[in-house]
Amino acid sequence: MADLIAWVMVLAIAAYACAGGTDYGAGFWDLLAGGAERGKRPRWLIDHAMAPVWEVNNVWLIFILVIMWTGFPTMFQAVFSAMWLPLALAAVGLVLRGAGFALRKPTRRLSRQRIYGAAFAISSLLTPFFLGAVLGGIASGRVEVGTPASADAWANGTSVLVGLLAIAATAFLGAVFLCSDALRFGADDLVDHFRLRALIAFAAVVVLALIGLPVTHDDA
């Protein structure tokens, strides 16, 4: 039974990584879209593509937490005791991200649009980074029952690398999704725009993966 529950959780994590990762990636490209005029078209597509799904994606995260604390309560306690700070920062990012995305669209004043947009975009980097850092700490064996909360659990080389990989991977997923969405809605100018960014993000994933070989050597 434990193996079955673990596989269900793994599949849910994969679903959240793909669906939520696309969502975070869109926020990453929102941050790099440029000024009000140059970034108007990319941000229009990001709003259009993410509006129906950005909130639904987090249902996977809630499902993962429920499976984790009911199926593996000891592991849940160990992870959340040792990693409470990065997980809290990721949760703050989720809240700020949702608020920024929801409030930017109905706002008419440019100054407020920039504030809400910045909250949405910056949180789209911080949340996957901290979630990746937590994953890196767990994968490198730094979390056990009774492990006290410390920076070493999530601020080590492996955790930082996995956090950066999470940002790069979500940027890739977001760019691919937005490229497909632009093609579907006939925004031909944005197809090439996001295809180029998908290739750049993919290259970043490859580079970080290669860097990860020596970084994770001692934790393998």
Side-chain angles (χ1 to χ4, degrees):
M1 180 59 71
D3 288 344
L4 176 61
I5 296 172
W7 276 111
V8 170
M9 190 167 71
V10 167
L11 292 174
I13 291 171
Y16 181 67
C18 292
T22 300
D23 198 357
Y24 293 128
F28 178 88
W29 298 119
D30 188 286
L31 180 65
L32 300 181
E37 287 303 317
R38 188 164 68 90
K40 186 176 182 180
R41 287 276 291 163
R43 290 192 178 99
W44 163 80
L45 181 65
I46 290 168
D47 285 344
H48 182 272
M50 293 296 110
V53 297
W54 69 274
E55 190 173 10
V56 178
N57 288 334
N58 290 319
V59 174
W60 285 113
L61 181 59
I62 296 170
F63 180 71
I64 292 165
L65 293 176
V66 172
I67 292 293
M68 189 175 175
W69 81 54
T70 55
F72 306 100
T74 303
M75 180 182 70
F76 182 88
Q77 180 185 13
V79 170
F80 275 75
S81 296
M83 302 283 198
W84 70 266
L85 181 56
L87 288 170
L89 292 172
V92 170
L94 282 171
V95 173
L96 292 177
R97 189 174 182 279
F101 186 81
L103 295 173
R104 179 175 66 175
K105 196 167 185 178
T107 302
R108 298 299 176 215
R109 294 181 61 179
L110 182 60
S111 58
R112 291 186 179 179
Q113 285 181 347
R114 286 175 173 169
I115 293 173
Y116 295 138
F120 166 68
I122 294 173
S123 298
S124 297
L125 272 70
L126 295 180
T127 300
F129 175 81
F130 285 120
L131 291 177
V134 170
L135 182 61
I138 296 171
S140 59
R142 288 180 167 84
V143 179
E144 298 177 355
V145 176
T147 300
S150 67
D152 179 65
W154 60 275
N156 55 82
T158 300
S159 291
V160 171
L161 176 72
V162 176
L164 294 176
L165 263 172
I167 293 175
T170 56
F172 172 71
L173 288 170
V176 171
F177 182 87
L178 290 168
C179 180
S180 176
D181 215 49
L183 184 64
R184 187 159 61 100
F185 288 98
D188 296 335
D189 57 318
L190 295 177
V191 173
D192 291 335
H193 177 90
F194 284 110
R195 180 182 288 120
L196 175 61
R197 281 150 181 78
L199 292 171
I200 293 172
F202 178 73
V205 170
V206 172
V207 170
L208 286 169
L210 293 174
I211 294 173
L213 294 176
V215 171
T216 60
H217 180 268
D218 293 335
D219 290 330

